[in-house]
Amino acid sequence: MDPGGAVNGGEEPCRNSERTERIRNMDARSKQLFEAAREHIPGGVNSPVRAFGAVGRTPRFIESAKGDRIVDVDGNEMIDYVCSWGPGILGHAHPRVIKKVQEACEAGLTYGAPTQREVELAALIAELIPSMEVSRLVSSGTEAVMSAIRTARGYTKRDRIIKFKGCYHGHSDGLLVKAGSAALTTSVPDSAGVPADYSKNTLVASYNDRSSVEAIFRAEPDGIAAVIVEPVAANMGVVLPEPGFLEFLREITLQYGALLIFDEVITGFRLALGGAQEYYGVVPDLTTLGKIVGGGMPIGAYGGRREIMKMVSPDGPVYQAGTLSGNPIATAAGLETLRILKEDASVYARLDKKAEQIASAVRKAAGESVCVNHVGSLLSIFFAPGRVRSYEEAASSDTARYADYFGYLLDRGIYVAPSQFEAMFLSDAHTPEDVEYTCRVMQEYFSEKKGARG
Ligand SMILES: *Cc1c(COP(=O)(O)O)cnc(C)c1O
């Protein structure tokens, strides 16, 4: 089937409207599947952002993926900058990872008993992220964060935690809070079905705003078990920590006897082998991992120094368990992914260079009309003027403009997040040609828009 020619066969990108029209119409099978999906799956998807609700398009149902490309059920081949929301740092279907998974499958899918690979993975995590001296494997980032917080509460014998507006830590009850207009010491759940009682111990501060953190600690000097933060916020779009902010969190938590939890579900093994804590040189008490640590399979992990992790059952009184935790297929994928990253010291520089190439192309073409935030292989193009350093500044973005930009890229075979408030992810599989093509299409988009406005 003609895949639309958007990125295949060395053809020039589709500039004329006839071609664009043809590509746009090539989602008949996705449309059919989406309709069928909505019969038996809420909103037709198993995770809300996939529904393309924020961009007014039909989600592409994916059939296969290899390297930096994904192919949908209508045969459209697209350059993928979602990378499954982060796990795909090596690109899709890396041959070494696939081989390890296949070998593991031959030996059975799950035993519910310990295996050697779990020991190897825990040791490798401790080697790459030294603050995770002892860690426990779970099956998702949500579970990792939920369990880390339970551990912090058990260890400190305190109930309250501080999180930041706009930081996402999975969908467990107590964390579905960004509080909006509520006062500092009260928290309103974001989701129906979460009793206010479940989130009343979650206090909300503002990212990059020290005084908001200080105010909570002053009000509750003996009540805070932990501060949890995404060291680079990547779930309101990418928002970087201001210089000194993470250091400040380290100091104030020590001062008040609270633990510092870095949620490195995205940044772990992405900003550096040792995650954001290595990149910024700030060491938390507990760390949560997900995404890359499973190499494309469901793994989450939480860990910290021995003295804290001693709290976890069966060593200690903090209960936490999982039927599929440390699953042998998932650990095969995760271990091999981390080993590949560890072998190649230049991978992070390569990733950063590609992301910077896109960031600077957009900055040049779009000028003041957008704000590009970039660190390592993460970037965001905010359709907002000025700098984006906080939830409020991110939320001021023009989501209609983002939807227009998203559609333009999709029609030209470039698959970015279907939401303004998600990161763009680079992988080691993104080829120079595909990155150049992406830059060119983005530049064309912003030039056309400027022309249209002028
Ligand atoms: C994705 C994410 C989670 C949740 O992980 P799941 O595997 O989706 O449950 C938690 N924290 C952060 C920072 C994330 O990006």
Side-chain angles (χ1 to χ4, degrees):
M1 184 187 275
D2 175 5
V7 293
N8 296 349
E11 285 183 70
E12 267 301 286
C14 41
R15 285 181 203 222
N16 67 61
S17 56
E18 185 198 341
R19 185 152 194 81
T20 306
E21 207 49 52
R22 240 176 71 214
I23 296 165
R24 183 177 292 137
N25 289 330
M26 286 191 60
D27 59 0
R29 185 82 187 114
S30 278
K31 282 202 165 98
Q32 266 173 10
L33 279 175
F34 192 43
E35 213 163 286
R38 280 190 289 197
E39 281 295 308
H40 298 294
I41 302 172
V45 290
N46 281 314
S47 199
V49 71
R50 298 179 196 172
F52 277 28
V55 289
R57 298 287 292 254
T58 303
R60 296 291 172 89
F61 280 65
I62 305 305
E63 192 155 270
S64 68
K66 176 87 187 145
D68 67 353
R69 309 284 185 101
I70 50 174
V71 182
D72 70 17
V73 290
D74 289 289
N76 298 299
E77 186 169 325
M78 300 168 283
I79 306 170
D80 179 21
Y81 291 101
V82 176
C83 296
S84 193
W85 307 100
I89 193 165
L90 299 174
H92 295 284
H94 191 289
R96 280 180 56 183
V97 178
I98 298 294
K99 182 156 178 286
K100 290 291 180 189
V101 168
Q102 282 168 340
E103 285 169 8
C105 286
E106 295 296 326
L109 300 182
T110 174
Y111 323 119
T115 61
Q116 182 173 330
R117 273 199 295 278
E118 293 167 273
V119 187
E120 291 170 358
L121 186 51
L124 186 54
I125 289 171
E127 180 193 326
L128 302 180
I129 306 177
S131 76
M132 296 182 78
E133 189 181 5
V134 176
S135 64
R136 169 64 63 84
L137 295 183
V138 293
S139 298
S140 69
T142 294
E143 248 188 292
V145 174
M146 191 180 81
S147 312
I149 285 173
R150 189 179 299 150
T151 305
R153 285 173 167 153
Y155 179 77
T156 58
K157 301 191 170 61
R158 297 170 173 182
D159 285 344
R160 305 204 132 181
I161 59 162
I162 298 176
K163 81 172 283 289
F164 293 91
K165 222 183 288 180
C167 282
Y168 179 67
H169 302 293
H171 66 91
S172 67
D173 283 337
L175 286 161
L176 279 181
V177 180
K178 64 173 181 286
S181 57
L184 276 180
T185 46
T186 65
S187 296
V188 182
D190 287 340
S191 169
V194 178
D197 267 6
Y198 285 27
S199 59
K200 70 177 183 200
N201 288 312
T202 308
L203 311 178
V204 180
S206 297
Y207 197 74
N208 278 331
D209 177 354
R210 299 178 191 204
S211 62
S212 70
V213 180
E214 285 163 346
I216 296 175
F217 271 112
R218 271 200 301 272
E220 304 259 349
D222 305 315
I224 309 296
V227 172
I228 182 161
V229 67
E230 287 182 80
V232 170
N235 285 286
M236 48 174 153
V238 175
V239 178
L240 276 60
E242 295 274 282
F245 181 62
L246 297 175
E247 289 84 348
F248 158 78
L249 295 179
R250 180 64 285 180
E251 280 160 26
I252 196 164
T253 44
L254 281 171
Q255 182 189 338
Y256 284 95
L259 299 186
L260 179 61
I261 306 174
F262 274 5
D263 182 348
E264 297 228 40
V265 170
I266 284 185
T267 53
F269 312 112
R270 180 165 282 282
L271 282 196
L273 260 183
Q277 51 198 276
E278 177 187 316
Y279 190 90
Y280 290 106
V282 177
V283 180
D285 300 295
L286 287 168
T287 300
T288 57
L289 299 174
K291 299 184 175 132
I292 292 175
V293 75
M297 302 286 289
I299 301 187
Y302 67 101
R305 56 180 185 277
R306 185 174 314 278
E307 163 215 4
I308 299 170
M309 290 301 286
K310 260 210 166 92
M311 298 304 295
V312 177
S313 181
D315 277 354
V318 173
Y319 189 72
Q320 186 271 310
T323 301
L324 292 177
S325 294
N327 172 269
I329 316 303
T331 51
L335 250 187
E336 192 65 4
T337 298
L338 300 191
R339 283 178 176 155
I340 293 168
L341 290 170
K342 187 188 152 188
E343 279 169 21
D344 186 352
S346 57
V347 62
Y348 293 100
R350 279 200 302 275
L351 287 165
D352 181 73
K353 201 170 142 229
K354 286 187 275 196
E356 180 53 36
Q357 194 182 335
I358 293 173
S360 56
V362 171
R363 284 188 189 117
K364 219 162 110 193
E368 301 289 296
S369 68
V370 302
C371 167
V372 184
N373 283 353
H374 161 229
V375 60
S377 54
L378 294 169
L379 78 152
S380 266
I381 298 163
F382 288 102
F383 286 80
R387 292 181 63 197
V388 175
R389 290 156 296 187
S390 67
Y391 174 74
E392 283 76 14
E393 286 169 353
S396 77
S397 300
D398 185 338
T399 52
R401 274 177 72 205
Y402 185 87
D404 184 60
Y405 151 89
F406 170 85
Y408 186 95
L409 264 52
L410 186 67
D411 290 338
R412 286 156 185 78
I414 299 169
Y415 188 84
V416 296
S419 161
Q420 168 73 87
F421 306 110
E422 305 284 356
M424 185 171 178
F425 292 92
L426 271 292
S427 81
D428 201 39
H430 281 98
T431 64
E433 296 74 29
D434 283 354
V435 171
E436 264 161 43
Y437 169 76
T438 303
C439 290
R440 201 159 71 231
V441 171
M442 288 178 169
Q443 280 170 326
E444 278 168 13
Y445 175 77
F446 287 109
S447 308
E448 275 179 33
K449 291 295 145 178
K450 254 188 206 158
R453 273 207 307 273

